[in-house]
Amino acid sequence: MLACVTMKMLHHAKCFQRLTIFGSVRALHKNNRRATPQNFSNYESMKQDFKLEIPEYFNFAKDVLDQWTNMEKAGKKPSNPAFWWINGKGEEVRWSFEELGSLSRKFANILSEACSLQRGDRVILILPRVPEWWLANVACLRTGTVLIPGTTQLTQKDILYRLQSSKANCIITNDVLAPAVDAIAPKCENLHSKLIVSENSREGWGNLKEMMKCASDSHTCVKTKHNEIMAMFFTSGTSGYPKMTAHTHSSFGLGLSVNGRFWLDLTPSDVMWNTSDTGWAKSAWSSVFSPWIQGACVFAHHLPRFEPTSVLQTLSKYPITVFCSAATVYRMLVQNDMASCKFKSLKHCVTAGEPITPDVTEKWRNKTGLDIYEGYGQTETVLICGNFKGMKIKPGSMGKPSPAFDVKIVDVNGNVLPPGQEGDIGIQVLPKRPFGLFAHYVVVKAFIVLNPDYKSHDQEQLIKEIQEHVKKSTAPYKYPRKVEFIQELPKTISGKTKRNELRKKEWKTI
């Protein structure tokens, strides 16, 4: 998963931000023509062409999806649907951009009216690959609520951690996980709305399918600033408790254009199938923003469990042109008999999340005639490095730097290393921070005014004692990761703490 890589911040004097990779850094290879791109001529032209102006206000639903609706109505885009869903049982859903807009506005009204959610409120979404997952994504954009996706593999303990640490106001899930939510809901003081995607009613829950039948599709999209928080993704927690990574309306809504336009090389005529789980940032990458930025069709197959034969049959039966999946999936696919599989529409295959081995890429090429283009990124970023069309794919290489970032190989201090030396991937963040980078981690920080008796104590030791005390007296994950001792807390006339001033004070240092 993208979330398995951690990010470390350098001292403020450094202009590079290190990305620590578990294992050695694979080579960045030289350009050589392999396949014909649709959206660029070659790697150098791609770097020159990638220029985006960031407007003061931006909302993906209004400024991208609704614009594709207008193009659709005017007959200026191919007849591809915006969304195409199947479940292998004969059920099928196809929405145009206009239908996606209408249904997502109904959902937005449910969030705003029935759930009484305000702009900035947080919504946890834990659903498998069902159409309502996509509607929830767009509805949150329209209402300015902050989406927090979660994988359906979460346990009751995992859900509690996410609800409490995010202070979520609403949760959307299904029959399978609703009992777990009910069991821990009394411990979540901020949670006041629960929506269930089910054919059956459940006490204390709003039934989304029933509510959609009578909801109005008249809704005015909120006017969001480009740097407002749009979504938060929990990392996989490989080095401790999962961190909340916050993305803005522009960091993914505009930043992922580099993925859609160049790495995926999508056009409005394409049908894109990404098999990533709905709980990870990779799903936002390739199942929401990247294809819809380009006006392409998002294809989804709701497979309760992974079945290689079903994947191969789907690639053969449906006009999927771009396929994205993990290296493990490709490895399982090539182990099957593919002699009878004819991928008449498939023309571009990509992978991310884990290294793909040369033997898998060779077997896939021999069986399909197609290369697999690897990309690398994190929950905190858009595409950092990738193999792009027009390149000769070198075994073991993850390609060249994405045009979204200035990427170098650096040592532990952020110093650029000469060619041939192993190091970490560094993204230049000064003097101008790239907009495809996450806004910040959402962490617990305590600002403390010390009692005079403690001012002479060793502050580092005092911080450790405070953290240990919180771990013992409350849930362990609630302890403050950061502690700062200050002379006094900023107060209003009525004596309330000005939390916004503390937040501004914190983020000025990053």
Side-chain angles (χ1 to χ4, degrees):
M1 293 293 173
L2 295 170
C4 72
V5 184
T6 61
M7 179 175 283
K8 295 183 179 179
M9 303 292 288
L10 287 179
H11 187 272
H12 307 309
K14 295 294 180 183
C15 65
F16 277 96
Q17 190 161 300
R18 278 179 59 238
L19 303 173
T20 303
I21 302 175
F22 302 118
S24 62
V25 174
R26 287 166 287 148
L28 303 180
H29 64 59
K30 294 182 179 179
N31 188 8
N32 212 339
R33 200 159 187 79
R34 182 77 190 181
T36 304
Q38 300 180 113
N39 293 317
F40 57 98
S41 300
N42 52 46
Y43 179 73
E44 291 305 321
S45 72
M46 178 186 72
K47 287 189 355 183
Q48 294 173 2
D49 291 345
F50 185 70
K51 292 180 179 66
L52 283 177
E53 293 185 7
I54 308 301
E56 182 181 359
Y57 293 93
F58 178 78
N59 186 288
F60 188 82
K62 177 179 179 292
D63 298 316
V64 176
L65 298 180
D66 289 350
Q67 293 309 308
W68 281 116
T69 294
N70 294 337
M71 295 282 283
E72 194 175 68
K73 287 180 178 179
K76 295 181 179 179
K77 74 171 291 296
S79 58
N80 266 359
F83 179 72
W84 190 349
W85 176 91
I86 63 171
N87 66 356
K89 298 177 182 178
E91 294 180 284
E92 190 168 338
V93 170
R94 291 196 201 193
W95 294 330
S96 64
F97 278 103
E98 184 177 6
E99 289 167 323
L100 174 66
S102 175
L103 291 167
S104 64
R105 286 192 291 272
K106 285 188 173 190
F107 202 142
N109 280 324
I110 292 170
L111 295 180
S112 298
E113 297 171 7
C115 298
S116 301
L117 295 177
Q118 304 295 316
R119 178 177 179 164
D121 283 349
R122 298 173 180 184
V123 179
I124 288 186
L125 175 66
I126 310 175
L127 286 175
R129 299 176 191 89
V130 293
E132 288 83 359
W133 184 86
W134 279 266
L135 289 182
N137 273 261
V138 183
C140 285
L141 289 168
R142 293 191 183 281
T143 55
T145 48
V146 178
L147 181 73
I148 307 172
T151 172
T152 54
Q153 297 175 351
L154 294 175
T155 64
Q156 182 173 305
K157 182 181 177 181
D158 294 329
I159 297 171
L160 176 63
Y161 170 63
R162 281 156 176 76
L163 281 168
Q164 290 187 331
S165 56
S166 69
K167 295 182 171 60
N169 311 97
C170 175
I171 188 167
I172 306 168
T173 191
N174 59 7
D175 287 313
V176 177
L177 290 172
V181 175
D182 282 338
I184 50 92
K187 300 178 183 178
C188 307
E189 59 183 6
N190 296 94
L191 182 65
H192 61 73
S193 297
K194 297 181 291 184
L195 295 177
I196 190 168
V197 178
S198 172
E199 299 297 335
N200 307 308
S201 60
R202 186 179 181 86
E203 186 178 354
W205 292 74
N207 187 295
L208 189 62
K209 290 182 180 291
E210 293 301 316
M211 297 167 83
M212 286 288 287
K213 292 177 183 177
C214 54
S216 168
D217 66 354
S218 177
H219 181 274
T220 302
C221 185
V222 298
K223 189 177 181 181
T224 50
K225 286 196 171 184
H226 76 88
N227 56 358
E228 280 185 49
I229 300 302
M230 176 202 70
M232 295 193 298
F233 299 89
F234 278 89
T235 61
S236 59
T238 52
S239 57
Y241 283 104
K243 296 187 289 291
M244 281 187 289
T245 305
H247 273 279
T248 66
H249 282 271
S250 63
S251 64
F252 264 10
L254 286 172
L256 282 170
S257 59
V258 71
N259 293 44
R261 183 180 173 192
F262 298 123
W263 184 51
L264 300 175
D265 195 35
L266 292 165
T267 72
S269 298
D270 284 305
V271 177
M272 166 87 201
W273 183 21
N274 168 46
T275 65
S276 175
D277 184 280
T278 52
W280 304 113
K282 183 64 178 69
S283 199
W285 272 35
S286 300
S287 295
V288 179
F289 294 103
S290 299
W292 281 341
I293 283 169
Q294 294 297 105
C297 170
V298 170
F299 184 90
H301 189 171
H302 179 31
L303 285 166
R305 61 182 182 277
F306 177 74
E307 298 171 348
T309 53
S310 295
V311 173
L312 293 171
Q313 288 169 4
T314 302
L315 287 171
S316 298
K317 182 178 179 180
Y318 294 90
I320 296 157
T321 58
V322 182
F323 180 60
C324 177
S325 203
T328 300
V329 171
Y330 282 105
R331 184 167 60 251
M332 295 175 74
L333 293 179
V334 297
Q335 290 172 357
N336 282 260
D337 180 13
M338 296 172 59
S340 61
C341 299
K342 304 296 180 185
F343 306 146
K344 297 178 181 179
S345 301
L346 192 62
K347 60 185 180 182
H348 190 35
C349 303
V350 297
T351 188
E354 57 178 308
I356 193 161
T357 56
D359 65 307
V360 172
T361 57
E362 184 178 357
K363 288 177 181 176
W364 183 259
R365 186 186 304 115
N366 290 340
K367 293 184 177 187
T368 67
L370 297 166
D371 286 313
I372 301 173
Y373 292 78
E374 186 175 356
Y376 167 73
Q378 297 186 202
T379 303
E380 294 88 344
T381 69
V382 297
L383 187 76
I384 298 172
C385 303
N387 285 293
F388 301 92
K389 283 185 179 178
M391 290 182 176
K392 179 181 179 181
I393 298 176
K394 180 179 178 181
S397 169
M398 60 186 178
K400 284 192 169 187
S402 149
F405 302 116
D406 183 358
V407 180
K408 298 288 190 298
I409 302 302
V410 299
D411 63 20
V412 294
N413 296 313
N415 300 308
V416 178
L417 292 170
Q421 286 198 24
E422 184 178 299
D424 295 330
I425 290 179
I427 292 177
Q428 187 164 359
V429 295
L430 294 176
K432 186 176 180 181
R433 182 184 176 89
F435 67 86
L437 204 59
F438 76 128
H440 53 74
Y441 290 121
V442 181
V443 298
V444 178
K445 175 168 181 175
F447 290 92
I448 298 174
V449 178
L450 286 174
N451 183 296
D453 294 340
Y454 289 89
K455 288 186 176 180
S456 61
H457 288 219
D458 179 270
Q459 291 197 351
E460 291 300 318
Q461 183 59 36
L462 203 54
I463 289 172
K464 291 179 182 178
E465 290 177 7
I466 291 169
Q467 290 173 328
E468 288 304 314
H469 172 73
V470 175
K471 287 179 184 179
K472 291 176 182 177
S473 58
T474 66
Y477 61 81
K478 290 184 177 180
Y479 83 91
R481 269 60 170 184
K482 301 172 75 175
V483 175
E484 182 178 340
F485 299 114
I486 57 178
Q487 293 298 315
E488 61 179 0
L489 292 170
K491 302 277 189 179
T492 64
I493 296 174
S494 61
K496 294 181 179 179
T497 301
K498 294 181 178 178
R499 299 180 186 275
N500 283 337
E501 285 195 15
L502 293 175
R503 279 192 284 268
K504 288 178 183 177
K505 172 181 170 63
E506 170 64 9
W507 293 116
K508 280 181 181 176
T509 66
I510 292 180

